[in-house]
Amino acid sequence: MAISSGRRVLTMGKIAVEDSVKDERAEITARARQLGFTDVGITPARLDARARARLREFVAERQHGTMDWFSRRLEERLEPRALWSSARTAIVMAVAYTPEGEVREQLTKELADKSGVIVAHYARGSDYHDIIKKRLKLFARWLCAHYGTEAKVFVDTAALSEKALALGSGIGWQGKNTQLVSRRHGCWLFLGVVLSSRLFASNLAVADSCGSCSRCLDVCPTNAFPRPYALDASRCISYLTIEHRGVIPRVFRVAIGNRVFGCDDCLVVCPWNKFARTARDLDEELGEKLSEKLSEQSVNAGDNSIEQSSRMSDYFSPRARLESARIGDWLRMDEEGFRELFRGSAIKRLKLSGLRRNLLIAAGNSGDASLLASVEEALGDKDEVVRASAVWAYWRLAERDIFCERAELSLRVEASEVVREEWLAGLGSEPSYVQS
Ligand code: SF4
Ligand code: SF4
């Protein structure tokens, strides 16, 4: 009798705890959805052994290329508490930026239009960092007030491994392309994290559902995957066109094609994207609830500038002037035009010189002789990386004897070793200059 009564008490106690965990999760999820986040996951503020091993391997094999900032702060990447010692839970927020329409067909067309530019989808709208951070702050204020915790927010700017935490939080699994893949939302996801000093019950991690698929590995133009689930970033077009400073190694230039900011190829092909709803559809579902909640919270936070629009999709839809942009138009852009066109865009990080470097590689791949005048002008650019890239584009587009004539003239006055080397390589054997 006593035992059975004890069991009943124990069972009822367990049910009560389970209910309160469910309530907590439901409240957190509801609040995150009201703020426009697509999905939310909860995990302890630490990386599991597998994620830690992956990060160590990435750095040990120098797959981070010239991103020395990545290896310098490896300990913090491995241990979130090295960033904030009070952190106990990571609440991971995902925002879907799933593009509209037939994205694969669209990419095929964009690649075929060799005088047009291709920008990765995540950068076609407004810079997600600012937008998501403001909403994470609203969420964190609510979390602190509601649960009496302290909290800090992160969006890809500190040495926090957001993706590794997302894998533990149940939002998705790590695909063979190393991206987070969600069964419901595919792989077009921005991530942000709220670290909390309170211990919340965690979600279960999601099982790998890549199966025998290898589409992302097969499609990569630069063979950047040494094996499934491992990315050699130093070979990846996203790294080469965005993170890498200096001249882009010759071996990758042809493969880059007309991608001037990032690459989406290994995302576009993922079959799980077919289950993803577009960012606009997800906003539609929230409707008025979202704008009411945002304005109420903005007023409570005393910040009238938090949002101009309540809909995430308004920020991430492609800017009209980025669609159907031409290499020639962008090569003619000056500093002022660059600032104006890319205000509030992630592309501004590249600076005009970085964009011109990429545009010249695209020009060299275009086969479009009408770009020769802009390329010739870039041969006199004040930036040696731009000049060196212009030499390659010139070599690809100009008649051989005209190239040689110009090379001899330029070599008499060119002081930069980087640029001289490009001219000399161009004067050397033709096939090796393209690929060597
Ligand atoms: S982003 Fe492009 S280059 Fe980089 S791994 Fe994916 S397919 Fe390869
Ligand atoms: S394309 Fe295939 S292998 Fe690659 S992440 Fe998607 S499901 Fe996995």
Side-chain angles (χ1 to χ4, degrees):
M1 203 46 197
I3 291 170
S4 104
S5 148
R7 271 195 189 143
R8 197 159 53 237
V9 170
L10 206 65
T11 308
M12 285 176 69
K14 196 174 158 209
I15 289 169
V17 170
E18 278 172 4
D19 283 350
S20 88
V21 165
K22 270 191 206 150
D23 289 350
E24 216 172 78
R25 280 211 193 111
E27 274 182 340
I28 287 174
T29 306
R31 185 56 57 133
R33 286 291 294 127
Q34 285 165 351
L35 289 170
F37 293 101
T38 310
D39 205 355
V40 53
I42 306 174
T43 186
R46 61 170 187 274
L47 269 55
D48 67 21
R50 201 158 157 227
R52 292 165 66 89
R54 274 184 187 140
L55 275 174
R56 285 194 192 285
E57 189 180 82
F58 182 72
V59 170
E61 294 182 8
R62 283 219 57 87
Q63 292 171 355
H64 58 299
T66 55
M67 295 184 286
D68 290 337
W69 46 266
F70 192 96
S71 51
R72 262 201 305 275
R73 301 189 65 188
L74 181 62
E75 286 315 309
E76 283 137 306
R77 289 178 202 286
L78 292 167
E79 176 51 82
R81 282 179 220 182
L83 271 177
W84 183 37
S85 58
S86 305
R88 299 184 78 191
T89 303
I91 301 176
V92 185
M93 306 286 200
V95 178
Y97 64 99
T98 313
E100 316 246 335
E102 295 298 324
V103 189
R104 286 180 75 169
E105 282 78 359
Q106 192 188 331
L107 177 61
T108 307
K109 276 191 202 147
E110 288 173 349
L111 286 167
D113 178 15
K114 292 181 188 298
S115 304
V117 302
I118 303 182
V119 168
H121 277 277
Y122 86 85
R124 294 187 186 191
S126 299
D127 189 345
Y128 72 96
H129 294 92
D130 298 343
I131 315 296
I132 292 181
K133 194 161 204 170
K134 283 173 182 169
R135 298 202 182 198
L136 282 181
K137 282 183 179 170
L138 289 177
F139 176 85
R141 282 195 192 109
W142 168 81
L143 194 77
C144 293
H146 204 69
Y147 289 105
T149 172
E150 287 177 78
K152 288 188 189 294
V153 305
F154 299 85
V155 191
D156 194 29
T157 42
L160 185 75
S161 299
E162 279 113 341
K163 191 173 69 185
L165 290 168
L167 297 174
S169 78
I171 291 181
W173 71 96
Q174 176 173 258
K176 289 179 190 170
N177 58 5
T178 75
Q179 300 294 317
L180 179 73
V181 189
S182 153
R183 290 181 83 94
R184 283 189 302 153
H185 306 296
C187 35
W188 305 101
L189 293 168
F190 294 127
L191 292 176
V193 171
V194 176
L195 289 182
S196 163
S197 57
R198 182 180 186 275
L199 191 62
F200 288 95
S202 299
N203 297 118
L204 293 174
V206 174
D208 182 335
S209 298
C210 282
S212 59
C213 174
S214 63
R215 288 185 195 182
C216 52
L217 310 180
D218 302 337
V219 80
C220 179
T222 52
N223 294 320
F225 299 109
R227 54 192 171 276
Y229 307 103
L231 170 71
D232 181 349
S234 68
R235 300 184 65 89
C236 169
I237 294 171
S238 289
Y239 159 83
L240 292 166
T241 56
I242 302 172
E243 305 293 346
H244 176 69
R245 300 284 170 258
V247 174
I248 293 178
R250 271 177 222 140
V251 68
F252 302 120
R253 292 180 195 166
V254 170
I256 285 173
N258 54 340
R259 300 171 187 84
V260 302
F261 191 90
C263 169
D264 283 331
D265 294 30
C266 60
L267 300 184
V268 165
V269 294
C270 183
W272 287 101
N273 288 327
K274 69 171 175 264
F275 301 108
R277 297 169 63 201
T278 65
R280 201 180 299 276
D281 280 354
L282 289 159
D283 275 345
E284 294 293 337
E285 183 186 280
L286 282 176
E288 290 308 305
K289 268 191 282 174
L290 175 66
S291 50
E292 278 166 24
K293 190 52 67 183
L294 275 171
S295 59
E296 172 204 317
Q297 293 215 358
S298 302
V299 169
N300 291 346
D303 184 352
N304 296 326
S305 67
I306 279 178
E307 297 289 334
Q308 288 163 355
S309 169
S310 54
R311 299 156 59 98
M312 289 282 197
S313 54
D314 288 347
Y315 294 104
F316 304 138
S317 354
R319 294 175 172 202
R321 282 191 292 171
L322 258 63
E323 288 189 302
S324 66
R326 316 304 296 162
I327 297 171
D329 294 340
W330 282 15
L331 270 177
R332 285 189 289 276
M333 193 159 42
D334 60 11
E335 287 285 357
E336 201 185 323
F338 178 83
R339 270 197 302 275
E340 206 216 315
L341 185 59
F342 299 116
R343 187 172 294 125
S345 152
I347 300 174
K348 72 175 185 294
R349 281 177 57 204
L350 257 188
K351 303 202 167 70
L352 180 59
S353 55
L355 181 62
R356 281 172 68 71
R357 174 199 64 179
N358 298 348
L359 287 165
L360 287 160
I361 300 301
N365 288 324
S366 69
D368 181 351
S370 75
L371 295 172
L372 256 175
S374 300
V375 170
E376 265 195 283
E377 201 188 319
L379 290 171
D381 198 283
K382 61 181 188 305
D383 185 303
E384 65 173 4
V385 174
V386 174
R387 284 203 306 283
S389 309
V391 173
W392 187 79
Y394 195 57
W395 182 85
R396 296 272 283 166
L397 293 177
E399 301 285 338
R400 176 76 182 159
D401 49 347
I402 295 176
F403 175 87
C404 294
E405 215 172 285
R406 181 71 190 247
E408 277 169 29
L409 287 174
S410 298
L411 282 166
R412 284 187 209 154
V413 293
E414 179 59 66
S416 160
E417 272 313 308
V418 174
V419 186
R420 291 181 67 80
E421 205 269 325
E422 286 292 338
W423 281 118
L424 291 168
L427 285 172
S429 77
E430 284 184 42
S432 68
Y433 185 46
V434 179
Q435 294 290 352
S436 67

